Amino acid sequence: MDAFHDPPEMKEASTASLAAVVALLIGTALAFTVATGPFTKLLGAGAGAVPAAFHGLMAFLYLFVGTIGLYLAWRLLTGRIRAFADLQLLSVVSATFSFLAIVAGNWLYIYYRAPVPESPRSVFMKTAPEVHKVFFEFKEFGALFTLPLTVCAAFILWRYGGQILDRPWLRYSVAVLMGLAFFYLVVAFGLGAAVTKLRPA
């Protein structure tokens, strides 16, 4: 029997390994956050510091999980996946991080769009309106696509299970959904980082 239809491999869901990787990523992200933005700054008087830190952490973790998911989706597309159960689990983790990043992002938008002269949006509209109109508007709404895309991929993976391996159109659908989700994730992540660097001092 070939590796593509190897039942033991399909049933082997290394949940413990995945949990260890996620724990390591969370620890790394927290260490990175503390090193680059001390808690005195994150929890200080600056409006939006806490939602910004939480949003950045969720996006950072989602980027790692999304990258692994993209690789497994590619393996699924080519018919050479050996960790199908891991892909199922990762699809749920990706959808969860997408949801948490979007929630934190919307929380942060309250401060970004605050109707006061010193809010980031007000500063951009006065000094560099293209930053808000091109960078931020696309990032804000483009990032929302990641949630329905990852939820649809997770639904298909769990609803059809191993049947996906024998139905090319389902394999292709999951791969395309996860590929598009990764595209919007990377675009939003990159533009989000750019916005923080472009804000005038």
Side-chain angles (χ1 to χ4, degrees):
M1 187 174 288
D2 61 19
F4 182 66
H5 290 93
D6 189 358
E9 290 291 345
M10 277 187 53
K11 293 178 181 177
E12 182 184 351
S14 52
T15 308
S17 299
L18 182 59
V21 170
V22 170
L24 178 64
L25 291 177
I26 291 174
T28 303
L30 286 174
F32 178 78
T33 302
V34 171
T36 59
F39 282 118
T40 54
K41 300 278 187 181
L42 295 176
L43 302 179
V50 172
F54 188 69
H55 178 61
L57 175 62
M58 292 301 104
F60 185 67
L61 292 172
Y62 181 26
L63 185 63
F64 274 100
V65 173
T67 302
I68 299 168
L70 181 68
Y71 169 73
L72 292 179
W74 171 254
R75 299 285 292 180
L76 179 67
L77 178 69
T78 59
R80 298 180 179 179
I81 191 165
R82 298 175 65 87
F84 182 78
D86 288 345
L87 177 59
Q88 286 179 304
L89 196 55
L90 271 173
S91 68
V92 175
V93 175
S94 294
T96 301
F97 279 137
S98 172
F99 174 75
L100 292 174
I102 288 171
V103 168
N106 280 284
W107 181 17
L108 181 58
Y109 297 155
I110 296 171
Y111 301 97
Y112 178 87
R113 294 179 176 277
V116 293
E118 63 272 14
S119 73
R121 182 183 184 279
S122 299
V123 172
F124 281 136
M125 292 305 289
K126 287 179 183 176
T127 60
E130 66 281 356
V131 171
H132 171 77
K133 293 176 181 177
V134 177
F135 280 77
F136 198 84
E137 289 288 347
F138 184 79
K139 169 206 169 342
E140 179 180 357
F141 298 106
L144 297 177
F145 284 109
T146 62
L147 184 57
L149 289 168
T150 52
V151 168
C152 287
F155 174 80
I156 293 172
L157 285 166
W158 286 95
R159 170 65 178 81
Y160 293 98
Q163 299 176 43
I164 292 175
L165 302 177
D166 298 316
R167 299 183 183 182
W169 68 274
L170 283 175
R171 292 197 340 256
Y172 301 155
S173 296
V174 170
V176 168
L177 288 168
M178 296 192 75
L180 286 172
F182 186 79
F183 167 76
Y184 284 110
L185 163 64
V186 171
V187 169
F189 191 91
L191 291 180
V195 165
T196 63
K197 298 299 182 186
L198 290 172
R199 187 182 188 280

